[in-house]
Amino acid sequence: MAGMGVFFPFCSLYLSQELSFSASQVGSLLAAVPLAGLVAQPLWGLFADRSGSRKGVLLMLSLGAAVAALVLSRQTAYGTVWVGLVSFALFHTAVLPTATSVTLERVGVAAYGFFRMWGTLGFLVLVVSFPLLSRLFGDPSGMDLLFPMVAVLSLAAALWVLFLPASPFPEAKARKGDAARLWRHPPVARLLAMVFLIHCFIQGPIYLFPLYVASRGGDASTVSRMWILMLVLEIPLIAFSGRTLKRLGARGLLTLGLATEALRWTTCAFTTDLRIIAAVQLLHGVGVAGILVGAPLYLERCTPEATRSTGQAWVSMAGAGAGAIVSNLMAGALMDRVSVEAPYVLAGAVALAMAFSVHRLLPEPRKPESESGLG
């Protein structure tokens, strides 16, 4: 997640400032990442479950992301950058759901938040340090080291996978047809539909947030400082998400996250004051803990062990994959053709509506009647 702390907050600035692409071009390039993930994530998840070697798959994904990022760092033309981003995303997008599966397999739901917190801490360290390191070793724009640094961090993660402890239990292997039966399990199907709708409206505003900040007079350092505020509250909230889960349940976490995102993006839509914009970024942690932790934990209570990686890959595919494709294209077009505020108005309104709908749309989480055969 340290590598994500370089890629996620700064990639749109790299594409617009270093390579001089328009907002629509940036939106279409960023859409290539979830587009590739839409294909890669379920395939990697299925492979991990069928092979039973989820740790080995995590190693392959991290190594692949490192090599692809290094190649991508040499590309400058729109077409080759698009191809490079797709190649990178074929590995990179599947890392987090696979890591989630590996972690849950070893520590369980109650302790998951504590371990996930360290990923957020890695993200924070690189959000803070990347602009400084990049200016120290790179050009004055501070962006040319983006993909080389992602490559180095991905390689470091791959090497660290070798030291992960073995699972305390025999790793369950999925059987032919298990994935299809999981897809038909009503709580899983409804969760995937909800995650898709949520991310259709919140991914674009997050990815294009640096362009929004630039329109308010900010720069890469401003974005970095705002990400610090975003992550300060996220770290303890994720660390104690297990306790919050006991009190609110997974559906309560999702509701809280959506309501918070509604307030955050609506405020951004109607202010130009960078101080106010920075202040509401503190709400990011609540949104992440609610949506990006609540959805995987809801799924964990609906999914048999043998299809854990497949299920987590589907959640990522529905949100950071299919939903993000729609969201990035829509947000880029709205910024170019309507206003820079338009994606944030829409995100706030939809998040609020979804917050009121969670308990009506999602049933209580439950596993299929027969875990071994999924019904």
Side-chain angles (χ1 to χ4, degrees):
M1 285 198 64
M4 293 181 185
V6 176
F7 175 79
F8 192 75
F10 300 110
C11 187
S12 60
L13 276 181
Y14 170 81
L15 295 173
S16 64
Q17 295 182 2
E18 193 75 14
L19 302 184
S20 301
F21 294 133
S22 69
S24 292
Q25 286 177 313
V26 171
S28 63
L29 285 168
L30 293 177
V33 175
L35 178 64
L38 197 64
V39 177
Q41 288 167 339
L43 292 178
W44 282 113
L46 183 62
F47 177 58
D49 282 336
R50 293 293 292 272
S51 68
S53 180
R54 297 168 182 88
K55 178 179 170 180
V57 170
L58 185 58
L59 175 63
M60 287 189 288
L61 291 171
S62 300
L63 283 173
V67 172
L70 191 60
V71 172
L72 182 55
S73 69
R74 309 297 299 175
Q75 310 309 313
T76 58
Y78 178 86
T80 56
V81 171
W82 193 91
V83 173
L85 279 169
V86 168
S87 302
F88 171 67
L90 289 174
F91 299 97
H92 176 76
T93 57
V95 169
L96 189 55
T98 305
T100 297
S101 175
V102 168
T103 304
L104 285 167
E105 191 171 47
R106 283 156 176 76
V107 305
V109 170
Y112 170 74
F114 174 78
F115 289 92
R116 175 61 173 76
M117 173 197 71
W118 291 96
T120 302
L121 187 59
F123 193 105
L124 172 61
V125 169
L126 265 297
V127 164
V128 174
S129 62
F130 174 68
L132 302 175
L133 292 172
S134 194
R135 287 196 183 94
L136 182 62
F137 296 105
D139 66 7
S141 72
M143 287 289 112
D144 64 335
L145 285 184
L146 189 144
F147 283 109
M149 190 164 292
V150 171
V152 169
L153 292 166
S154 296
L155 178 61
L159 295 175
W160 194 253
V161 171
L162 299 174
F163 296 96
L164 289 178
S167 173
F169 308 104
E171 297 196 61
K173 293 184 180 181
R175 299 180 300 181
K176 185 177 181 180
D178 280 355
R181 287 187 285 271
L182 179 63
W183 182 269
R184 294 194 295 268
H185 185 43
V188 173
R190 290 193 180 195
L191 175 69
L192 294 176
M194 172 165 279
V195 167
F196 170 72
L197 288 173
I198 291 170
H199 284 266
C200 273
F201 297 95
I202 68 170
Q203 283 285 339
I206 295 173
Y207 268 101
L208 298 179
F209 188 66
L211 303 187
Y212 165 84
V213 171
S215 75
R216 264 57 178 161
D219 57 14
S221 295
T222 310
V223 173
S224 176
R225 290 193 296 270
M226 288 195 183
W227 269 100
I228 295 171
L229 293 173
M230 292 183 203
L231 297 170
V232 163
L233 191 57
E234 179 180 335
I235 291 172
L237 285 172
I238 287 181
F240 296 105
S241 61
R243 296 183 183 180
T244 309
L245 182 69
K246 290 181 180 179
R247 294 183 180 181
L248 300 180
R251 295 185 300 172
L253 274 175
L254 282 165
T255 300
L256 177 63
L258 284 164
T260 304
E261 287 290 275
L263 177 59
R264 175 192 179 194
W265 294 132
T266 300
T267 302
C268 287
F270 294 103
T271 185
T272 58
D273 191 328
L274 284 172
R275 293 170 299 179
I276 296 175
I277 294 167
V280 297
Q281 300 318 307
L282 283 168
L283 300 175
H284 171 85
V286 185
V288 167
I291 299 171
L292 300 187
V293 175
L297 293 183
Y298 179 93
L299 182 81
E300 178 67 10
R301 295 194 165 181
C302 301
T303 310
E305 293 179 8
T307 50
R308 176 181 279 132
S309 293
T310 298
Q312 294 297 340
W314 282 352
V315 167
S316 184
M317 177 191 71
I325 292 170
V326 175
S327 192
N328 280 313
L329 291 172
M330 181 169 56
L334 285 171
M335 278 190 172
D336 274 346
R337 299 173 187 175
V338 182
S339 69
V340 73
E341 297 85 9
Y344 299 91
V345 174
L346 190 59
V350 172
L352 184 61
M354 294 292 288
F356 284 106
S357 305
V358 171
H359 282 77
R360 287 193 290 271
L361 297 177
L362 285 184
E364 282 285 347
R366 60 179 176 82
K367 293 185 184 292
E369 292 181 4
S370 172
E371 286 202 10
S372 61
L374 289 164

